[in-house]
Every structure is written in structure tokens, then in C-alpha cells.
Amino acid sequence: MEKQCIYYVAVLFVHHFMSSLAVPAKNLTTDQSALLQFKAHITSYPRRVLTYNWSISNLVYRWVGISCDARHGRVTTLNLSSMDLGGTIPPHLGNLSFLVNLDLGDNNFHGHLPNELGQLC
Ligand SMILES: *[C@@H]1O[C@H](CO)[C@@H](O)[C@H](O)[C@H]1NC(C)=O
Ligand SMILES: *[C@@H]1O[C@H](CO)[C@@H](O)[C@H](O)[C@H]1NC(C)=O
Ligand SMILES: *[C@@H]1O[C@H](CO)[C@@H](O)[C@H](O)[C@H]1NC(C)=O
Ligand SMILES: *[C@@H]1O[C@H](CO)[C@@H](O)[C@H](O)[C@H]1NC(C)=O
């Protein structure tokens, strides 16, 4: 009985270890491509701020509406409120795994928030 239990714990441990290896590590590059996907889904830019500002030639943490945390170097805030933007919100935003502050209010985004955003914590 005891041996079986130890075996079971070991299997769980190995399984957990393997699955953590299988998930590709996310970093600021992942965040950047998630945001560029989002930009590509924005169909109306009455104020063309993002067109030039959200560019790979700028560092992501200097992009308008974005803040990053110093500790992980990942995007924590996405605030594009009241920028007259329209379009849909792609599932890629779910890759912003350090996002804690999301404000897309007072725009014309339509459709549903992707389920992936529900994975954020
Ligand atoms: C992020 O990870 C990818 C591979 O997973 C790597 O090619 C890239 O250089 C990394 N970017 C940063 C900013 O660390
Ligand atoms: C992008 O916008 C931010 C915030 O308004 C600003 O600090 C930065 O200089 C802008 N960068 C470019 C290249 O326009
Ligand atoms: C987003 O930015 C606007 C304008 O700067 C501000 O009023 C609002 O409180 C911000 N939203 C969040 C969630 O921080
Ligand atoms: C980001 O999210 C999309 C859609 O959810 C997914 O297809 C893609 O593989 C993700 N990219 C990374 C680098 O995790």
C-alpha cells in the first residue's frame, strides 16, 4: 500500500515536471507578438496613434497604453481606453500571462472577450 502510494506520487511529480517542460516559456517577445496580433485585429484607427507607436522598432514598455513590471519584464497593463478603436479582440491576448490591468473601455470593439483571457490570473 505504502509503496504504491510513493509510486503514485513519483508519477505525479514526473508528469508535472514533463508538462512544465512542454509549455513553451513566455517572455516579453511573446507579449510583443500578442500585442501585434491585437493591433492587426484593430480595424479602425480614427487616431492613428498605434500605427506608429506600436512598432517593433520601439521597446514594448514604451508603447502607448502599456506598462511592464520590472521584476519579470512582462506586460502588466494594457490600457487603450477612449482611443476610438474598433475591431475584434484576438485570443493571442491570453498570452499576456502577467496582465493585471486591462482597460479597453469606451471604444468600439465587438465580439466576445476570448476565453483565453479567462486563463489570466
Ligand atoms: C523569448 O524566448 C524566445 C524562445 O522561446 C527567444 O528566441 C527570445 O529571444 C526570447 N526573448 C527575450 C526578450 O528574452
Ligand atoms: C509612443 O507613445 C509613448 C506614450 O505616449 C511615448 O512616450 C513614446 O515616445 C511614443 N513613441 C513613439 C516612437 O512615438
Ligand atoms: C486607463 O487610462 C485612463 C486614461 O488615462 C484612466 O482614466 C483609467 O483609469 C485607466 N484605467 C485603468 C484600469 O487603469
Ligand atoms: C499565443 O496565443 C495564440 C492563440 O491563443 C497561440 O496560437 C500561440 O501559439 C501563442 N503564442 C505563444 C508564443 O505562446
Side-chain angles (χ1 to χ4, degrees):
M1 194 65 183
E2 205 175 285
K3 256 186 197 160
Q4 213 171 10
C5 186
I6 289 168
Y7 173 78
Y8 188 64
V9 168
V11 166
L12 269 184
F13 179 78
V14 169
H15 183 77
H16 182 78
F17 181 70
M18 296 302 283
S19 57
S20 69
L21 285 182
V23 174
K26 290 183 177 147
N27 57 24
L28 190 59
T29 306
T30 322
D31 290 353
Q32 176 180 271
S33 62
L35 291 170
L36 288 174
Q37 281 291 336
F38 180 41
K39 180 184 169 184
H41 282 76
I42 295 175
T43 50
S44 96
Y45 290 96
R47 303 178 213 164
R48 301 198 153 257
V49 187
L50 297 191
T51 318
Y52 303 105
N53 197 280
W54 281 27
S55 148
I56 51 169
S57 56
N58 291 332
L59 295 165
V60 175
Y61 57 81
R62 298 222 178 113
W63 289 5
V64 65
I66 301 297
S67 311
C68 295
D69 71 332
R71 189 157 159 242
H72 302 100
R74 300 285 307 276
V75 170
T76 51
T77 298
L78 171 57
N79 183 349
L80 300 179
S81 65
S82 309
M83 288 180 67
D84 289 333
L85 303 170
T88 55
I89 298 167
H92 304 79
L93 279 196
N95 289 339
L96 299 174
S97 31
F98 282 79
L99 192 68
V100 289
N101 201 350
L102 174 68
D103 190 347
L104 302 176
D106 192 24
N107 285 297
N108 299 305
F109 291 113
H110 54 88
H112 299 284
L113 274 179
N115 292 334
E116 283 77 359
L117 279 175
Q119 293 164 10
L120 300 173
C121 51

